[in-house]
Amino acid sequence: METPKKKRKFDQNDKPSPSPKRARKELSIENKMDLIKDSEAVPKISQKDLSLKYGIGKATVCDILKRKDTYRTQYEENIGNKRKRHASSSKFFDLNELLFRWFKGAREKNIPLSGPILQEKALEFAKELNLPEFKASNGWLESWRLRYGIGFFKVCGESADVNLNVVAEFKSKLPEIVKDYDPRDTFNADETGLFFRALPDKTLAERGKECKGGKMSKQRLTVVLCCSVRGEKLKPLVIGNANKPRCFRNLDVKSLPVTWKANKKSWMNSTFFTEWVKDINRDMRKKSRKIVIFLDNATSHSHNLKLSNVELKFFPANTTSKLQPLDLGIIRAFKARYRKHMIKHLLPQIDNCNTVTELCKEINVLKAIHWIKKSWNETKSTTIKSCFRDAGFPLEAPTNVDEPEDPDDAIPLADLVEQLRSRDPSVQIKEADDVDDNLATESAFDSEWETDLIREFTGDT
C-alpha cells in the first residue's frame, strides 16, 4: 500500500509566491509563418522552445502548427508579393476582394475611411454583385479587417497626421506660386456638408445613424464655397438629392440665389465640379480676369482641366487643416450664421407647434438655400482675410475701412438655442457649430470608376 504524501506546512512567514501570469500575446500572420518555418527547421525545435522564443503558451504553439496549412494560404493570398485569387470557402469572397481593391485605391489617395463607410460601400457592391443576403454586420467587418491585415480605420477628419514639414515647405513656396496673381484674383474653394434642419446637437434623421460616409443624406446638403484673399465671395454651389424638390414647385431653378445641382446622395462629383469651374471661367472671361483657385485633393476635383481664365492649384495631401483658409474658420463662421438664421425663424413660430423637432421638420430646402446665401453674404471679409493670412497667403497692405456692424453678431448662438430650450427642454446645448463638421461630401471614387472596377473584377463587358 502506497504511503500518502505528507502535505507541507507553511507558517505565517513562509508562503509560496504566486507564479506570474503571462500576458496574452497575439501573433501576426507573419510571426505565425516564422514560427511554422522554425518548427520545420533542422535540427527540429521543440514546441517548448518555440513557446519561449515567441512568448506564447505551448498550447498556442500546438494550435498554430495544427492549422499551418490555413495560415500558409492566408499569407500567400494577402501578404505575399504575388497576390493570386484562389477558391475560398468564404461565401462573399468576390465581394471581400472587390472591397479590398477599393480600399487600397482610396488609401492611396489619402482618403480617410472608417468602419461605417466601408460597411456602406460593401452594401453597394453587394447590390451590384446581386448578393441580397449580405448584411455588412460588425462581425463581417471584423473578419474582413483581419483577413486583409488592416489594423484600424481612420475616422473622417483631416487634422490628424499632418506633416508639418510639408506645410512649412508649401507656405514658403506660396509667394512664388501666386506671384502672377493679384490678391483679389487668388481664391480658395471647398465643399462642406450641412444638416440644414439640424439644431446644434440635433439631427433630424433616423436614430442611431452615423454622420459619416453620407448617411442622413435626405436631411443634408453639400455646399461649395469659394472666396478670395481680398474677401470676394462667389455664388455658392448647393447640391441636394432632388432636381426639383416639392418646395421648388412653379419655381425656375435658375432664379435661385445659388447654383443648384442634385444627385441621389447630395454629393459632389467630377461632373458637377467641372460644370461649376467652367461657369466661373466663363464669368471671368467676360470680365477679362484671370484667377487661381486653390483646392484640396478630393477625387471629384479634376486635375487635368485646362481653362482660359481659371487656373487650379492643389494643396499637398492631408494638409488642408493647416493650409486651406476655408478650413481655418471661414466655414465655421458661415455655419454659425446659418444656425442663427434658422433658429430666429423657429422662435416666432414655436408656440404653434408641440415640439421644436416638429417645427424643424417644416424647414424645407428653399428656406435653407436663402439662409445659405444670406449667411455667405454676411460672412465678414475680415474673417476671410484673417484665415488666408493664417494659411500663409501673402496679403496686400491692410486697409482702414471698417465693415458695418451686424446686429446679429451681438447675439451668441448659444443664447438663441437657450431660448428654444426654455420652450422645449429636449433641446440640449453642446458645441454650437460642430454638428456636421466631418460630414462626407463625396464618395471615395466617382460612380464611373466604380463601374469600371466592378466590370474588371467580374469580367463583364
Side-chain angles (χ1 to χ4, degrees):
M1 184 175 177
E2 187 177 355
T3 305
K5 294 181 180 179
K6 292 183 179 180
K7 293 183 178 180
R8 183 183 173 188
K9 294 182 179 180
F10 298 92
D11 60 26
Q12 191 174 5
N13 298 319
D14 188 20
K15 293 182 179 179
S17 58
S19 59
K21 291 184 179 181
R22 181 191 289 115
R24 181 178 177 82
K25 184 177 181 180
E26 182 71 26
L27 295 184
S28 66
I29 186 68
E30 293 96 330
N31 288 336
K32 288 176 181 176
M33 286 303 302
D34 291 340
L35 186 150
I36 292 168
K37 290 177 183 177
D38 286 345
S39 72
E40 297 171 345
V42 179
K44 190 172 182 179
I45 303 175
S46 68
Q47 291 187 9
K48 181 179 180 181
D49 290 340
L50 288 173
S51 70
L52 292 174
K53 178 177 180 179
Y54 289 92
I56 57 178
K58 188 177 177 181
T60 305
V61 173
C62 182
D63 181 66
I64 291 173
L65 296 179
K66 283 181 180 179
R67 302 176 60 195
K68 60 184 179 182
D69 291 338
T70 301
Y71 291 128
R72 279 197 180 103
T73 301
Q74 290 182 2
Y75 182 82
E76 289 171 1
E77 288 183 353
N78 303 310
I79 306 297
N81 292 327
K82 295 182 180 180
R83 288 182 50 82
K84 297 179 181 179
R85 288 185 62 188
H86 298 280
S88 172
S89 59
S90 171
K91 186 176 182 180
F92 304 113
F93 176 75
D94 286 351
L95 185 146
N96 291 338
E97 284 285 296
L98 183 58
L99 183 67
F100 182 63
R101 291 189 187 186
W102 183 89
F103 174 86
K104 288 198 301 180
R107 290 308 301 138
E108 286 171 1
K109 293 175 174 285
N110 292 311
I111 296 170
L113 299 174
S114 66
I117 289 177
L118 290 171
Q119 286 170 302
E120 182 181 352
K121 181 51 61 180
L123 287 171
E124 290 181 11
F125 284 147
K127 187 176 180 180
E128 294 287 345
L129 298 174
N130 194 24
L131 297 171
E133 68 275 23
F134 178 74
K135 302 301 181 185
S137 64
N138 289 336
W140 164 82
L141 181 63
E142 180 65 10
S143 298
W144 182 88
R145 183 183 70 81
L146 294 173
R147 180 188 301 252
Y148 292 97
I150 297 168
F152 64 91
F153 302 127
K154 180 178 173 63
V155 176
C156 286
E158 300 180 83
S159 61
D161 301 326
V162 176
N163 189 325
L164 297 181
N165 291 329
V166 173
V167 171
E169 182 181 1
F170 186 82
K171 285 185 176 182
S172 67
K173 293 179 179 178
L174 261 177
E176 180 66 21
I177 295 173
V178 300
K179 68 177 183 179
D180 295 329
Y181 294 95
D182 188 89
R184 79 185 189 97
D185 296 326
T186 303
F187 287 79
N188 173 216
D190 192 26
E191 302 90 354
T192 184
L194 178 69
F195 286 134
F196 67 92
R197 291 176 171 172
L199 293 176
D201 69 327
K202 269 192 167 182
T203 54
L204 304 180
E206 297 177 54
R207 186 182 299 276
K209 292 288 187 179
E210 291 286 339
C211 297
K212 308 178 184 70
K215 301 282 182 149
M216 303 188 190
S217 60
K218 291 182 179 179
Q219 306 295 331
R220 55 158 290 167
L221 300 168
T222 292
V223 182
V224 183
L225 302 175
C226 185
C227 55
S228 74
V229 171
R230 188 175 285 180
E232 179 183 354
K233 292 161 285 193
L234 302 187
K235 180 194 289 189
L237 167 64
V238 180
I239 305 170
N241 70 337
N243 287 321
K244 289 275 288 189
R246 196 173 302 171
C247 56
F248 284 13
R249 189 178 301 168
N250 302 322
L251 177 70
D252 182 4
V253 173
K254 293 182 180 179
S255 68
L256 293 172
V258 303
T259 301
W260 176 257
K261 299 288 183 181
N263 57 27
K264 185 178 178 181
K265 291 190 174 181
S266 308
W267 274 353
M268 173 61 99
N269 58 39
S270 58
T271 301
F272 289 168
F273 176 78
T274 301
E275 292 173 352
W276 175 73
V277 173
K278 286 183 176 180
D279 285 344
I280 295 175
N281 186 69
R282 193 178 302 112
D283 290 341
M284 294 302 163
R285 188 167 60 243
K286 291 177 181 178
K287 299 175 183 177
S288 299
R289 289 178 65 184
K290 289 194 175 183
I291 68 171
V292 58
I293 301 178
F294 285 82
L295 300 149
D296 61 29
N297 279 281
T299 310
S300 60
H301 297 166
S302 304
H303 285 59
N304 56 356
L305 280 177
K306 301 298 181 183
L307 303 166
S308 60
N309 291 67
V310 175
E311 182 180 6
L312 304 182
K313 294 287 186 180
F314 296 89
F315 296 111
N318 198 34
T319 60
T320 53
S321 63
K322 302 293 184 183
L323 292 176
Q324 180 154 252
L326 280 157
D327 278 350
L328 295 178
I330 299 172
I331 289 176
R332 216 162 173 77
F334 158 76
K335 286 188 175 182
R337 288 182 179 276
Y338 178 89
R339 305 290 179 211
K340 283 187 178 183
H341 287 305
M342 183 186 68
I343 294 173
K344 287 177 69 177
H345 170 78
L346 297 180
L347 279 171
Q349 305 178 52
I350 191 72
D351 293 332
N352 299 323
C353 294
N354 294 325
T355 65
V356 173
T357 299
E358 179 185 331
L359 183 60
C360 285
K361 288 181 179 179
E362 296 177 4
I363 297 173
N364 60 37
V365 173
L366 186 57
K367 292 176 182 175
I369 283 174
H370 286 290
W371 294 335
I372 287 169
K373 179 61 175 177
K374 189 174 183 181
S375 301
W376 186 228
N377 286 345
E378 293 172 351
T379 301
K380 291 187 174 183
S381 61
T382 51
T383 300
I384 294 173
K385 291 176 182 178
S386 174
C387 292
F388 270 94
R389 183 188 63 243
D390 292 345
F393 283 79
L395 301 180
E396 58 190 351
T399 61
N400 295 322
V401 178
D402 294 328
E403 292 185 278
E405 289 294 328
D406 186 342
D408 287 346
D409 288 344
I411 308 173
L413 178 56
D415 288 354
L416 291 172
V417 179
E418 189 63 48
Q419 293 181 46
L420 285 178
R421 185 181 182 186
S422 66
R423 304 189 187 193
D424 182 355
S426 68
V427 178
Q428 301 296 319
I429 300 175
K430 294 181 182 177
E431 290 296 327
D433 50 2
D434 68 349
V435 64
D436 41 25
D437 274 359
N438 290 327
L439 187 60
T441 56
E442 66 171 75
S443 171
F445 294 103
D446 284 341
S447 58
E448 292 85 356
W449 187 94
E450 292 173 357
T451 300
D452 291 342
L453 177 64
I454 293 169
R455 286 175 177 170
E456 176 190 345
F457 186 81
T458 60
D460 293 339
T461 56

